Amino acid sequence: MEKIRIFGNQNLRLKGKVRISGAKNAVLPAITATLLTQEKVRLKNIPLVKDVYTILTLMKELGASYNIKKNSLSIQVKKIQSPQAPYELIQAMRASILVLGPLLARFGKATVALPGGCAIGSRPIDLHIHGLEKLGASISLKHGYITAEAKKLHGNEIEFEKKTVGGTENLIMAACLALGETVLKNCSQEPEVTSLCELLVKMGARIDGLGEETIRIKGVSELGGATHEIIPDRIEAGTFLVASALTQGDIVLTRVRPDHLDTVIEKLRYSGTQIEILNSSSLRAIGSKEIRSQDITTSPYPGFPTDMQAQFIVLMTQASGTSFITETIFDRRFSHINELLRLGANIEVSGDKAIVKGKTLLSGAETRATDLRASASLVLAGLIASGRTIINEIEHLDRGYERLEDKLKSLGAKIERIKT
Ligand code: UD1
């Protein structure tokens, strides 16, 4: 079992340059989109994280062959071998549900295990299912598996009841090969959705309204190969910005998209962090001695991302005053708080709100990671907690961060991965 060990201290000042990896949430749909063509697709700047290997295992089972060289992936699904996504893989990673739309569109049938419960609250897939039904699929549920069938999908108008990133992506992919036009309303506008649309357009899809709430797709009979570069990970970037803010650091982020981080930058500036946008792909963050408390509410893009909530809670433990952090996207996404309490943070949870009272001195302890972003928040807390912090169950961290400990070490942190 691997753990992360951090020797933290209040006087740590992170300093230096860090290169941001490709976005996990952009590469996963890009990989499943390759199910829509029999030709080869090349994806550049992919992050080498566990979720990518998990989706590739699933893709192989479905019939893909692939090859990774450094951070480039060549993948081809000449023929779909079996349109079935097994429980072990869906369970390991919820985003595996992103095979549903493209499999159905290309093969006429898809059988995918229901994802079930998840550490960050109930995460249903009803909106994916309703959308596919509107495109003409018949859906049945047996033995924990959903089977979607349609000889040919037919375009339709679908309005999402609630914004869903994965649901938007699944429906866009399915509609690319449907007969006629599909109009999707109330779509998620996350940069990862737009990046998927850009890839699909390169593959020959006819999509209008990229990045907007209404997306129109004119179905085509087939898609072809393409080369596409994965956008930088805005959540990894945000995590390093918070690391700089917490440690009065001076960190330059390279290969980043500042325009994807507007809300996070605004909140950091309010907290006192100096953020300089150096150019279209680099940012500098200089932390200040005094951190200002503030209220934050998570919401769909371009709002404040739920995936940055845990990291900002750590920052607010070091602010003078009380902050109210409201989580509106996922219920029960506060599991990191119990662990932060063990480090000495003063946080109360009331419904969907975390009330963070600062400033508290944190002291290192043994902790366990409960989900991906929760683990990142524990790493951040460990950097400024006095003494030793151990983080167990770091497989969550490895799902989405590429060499986080090496990157932090290069900035001056005392952090290492240990085997027990
Ligand atoms: C994606 C991201 C995840 C991020 C989340 C919200 C990926 C691989 N993961 O997850 O990192 O935290 O967006 O920004 O891109 N919902 C339903 N019914 C559905 C689908 C969703 O009720 O059919 C609800 C969910 O329970 C949640 C909300 O809608 O409350 C948003 O979920 P969604 O945007 O679908 O998240 P994911 O795509 O799973």
Side-chain angles (χ1 to χ4, degrees), residues 204-248:
R206 294 176 63 197
I207 308 177
D208 273 336
L210 273 65
E212 291 171 19
E213 275 187 320
T214 298
I215 294 181
R216 288 170 195 276
I217 303 139
K218 287 204 175 88
V220 294
S221 56
E222 58 177 19
L223 295 179
T227 296
H228 182 65
E229 180 159 329
I230 299 300
I231 52 171
D233 196 312
R234 62 196 166 96
I235 307 301
E236 186 200 10
T239 304
F240 279 102
L241 293 177
V242 171
S244 195
L246 268 174
T247 61
Q248 288 177 58

Side-chain angles (χ1 to χ4, degrees), residues 25-30 32-33 36 95 97-98 101-102 128 160 164-176 184 187-188 190-197 200 215 217:
N25 286 353
V27 75
L28 298 176
T32 65
L36 291 165
I97 196 70
L98 292 172
H128 303 232
F160 292 103
T164 159
V165 174
T168 304
E169 292 168 342
N170 243 335
L171 267 290
I172 290 173
M173 290 189 277
C176 283
L184 299 176
C187 291
S188 291
E190 269 68 2
E192 294 75 22
V193 177
T194 306
S195 171
L196 169 67
C197 291
L200 292 166
I215 294 181
I217 303 139

Side-chain angles (χ1 to χ4, degrees), residues 58-311:
L58 173 56
M59 291 292 291
K60 203 168 170 190
E61 194 133 326
L62 299 173
S65 55
Y66 66 86
N67 162 28
I68 299 178
K69 244 192 215 153
K70 287 199 174 159
N71 289 79
S72 281
L73 168 75
S74 285
I75 179 162
Q76 185 167 20
V77 193
K78 276 194 184 142
K79 201 168 162 256
I80 307 264
Q81 256 159 25
S82 139
Q84 180 145 344
Y87 181 63
E88 311 83 78
L89 292 167
I90 296 275
Q91 175 75 354
M93 188 186 66
R94 216 188 106 83
S96 310
I97 196 70
L98 292 172
V99 300
L100 183 61
L103 260 187
L104 174 64
R106 168 138 167 232
F107 194 78
K109 183 174 176 178
T111 300
V112 176
L114 267 179
C118 167
I120 57 172
S122 62
R123 294 174 80 173
I125 54 159
D126 55 319
L127 303 173
H128 303 232
I129 301 296
H130 291 159
L132 292 174
E133 276 177 334
K134 281 209 138 186
L135 295 184
S138 63
I139 310 274
S140 56
L141 172 67
K142 239 190 215 161
H143 309 304
Y145 280 79
I146 284 187
T147 297
E149 284 178 275
K151 277 210 177 88
K152 195 73 199 163
L153 296 170
H154 291 263
N156 202 345
E157 185 171 312
I158 298 162
E159 175 153 9
F160 292 103
E161 223 172 85
K162 177 178 183 180
K163 287 206 163 163
T164 159
V165 174
T168 304
E169 292 168 342
N170 243 335
L171 267 290
I172 290 173
M173 290 189 277
C176 283
L177 294 182
L179 288 171
E181 189 181 50
T182 300
V183 180
L184 299 176
K185 294 187 170 169
N186 198 27
C187 291
S188 291
Q189 294 170 281
E190 269 68 2
E192 294 75 22
V193 177
T194 306
S195 171
L196 169 67
C197 291
E198 284 165 355
L199 164 64
L200 292 166
V201 167
K202 286 180 195 161
M203 290 165 68
R206 294 176 63 197
I207 308 177
D208 273 336
L210 273 65
E212 291 171 19
E213 275 187 320
T214 298
I215 294 181
R216 288 170 195 276
I217 303 139
K218 287 204 175 88
V220 294
S221 56
E222 58 177 19
L223 295 179
T227 296
H228 182 65
E229 180 159 329
I230 299 300
I231 52 171
D233 196 312
R234 62 196 166 96
I235 307 301
E236 186 200 10
T239 304
F240 279 102
L241 293 177
V242 171
S244 195
L246 268 174
T247 61
Q248 288 177 58
D250 184 352
I251 303 182
V252 171
L253 272 53
T254 63
R255 216 165 172 168
V256 66
R257 282 282 298 263
D259 55 327
H260 291 168
L261 283 155
D262 287 349
T263 321
V264 170
I265 289 174
E266 184 193 310
K267 294 289 176 195
L268 280 167
R269 282 186 173 146
Y270 184 88
S271 77
T273 311
Q274 193 185 321
I275 307 270
E276 291 169 26
I277 297 175
L278 302 175
N279 54 46
S280 60
S281 64
S282 61
L283 272 177
R284 180 177 181 195
I286 303 171
S288 103
K289 198 167 176 196
E290 294 301 321
I291 299 174
R292 230 163 124 186
S293 60
Q294 61 184 307
D295 299 342
I296 293 173
T297 300
T298 62
S299 59
Y301 190 85
F304 186 86
T306 174
D307 287 350
M308 284 302 301
Q309 176 252 100
Q311 299 89 317

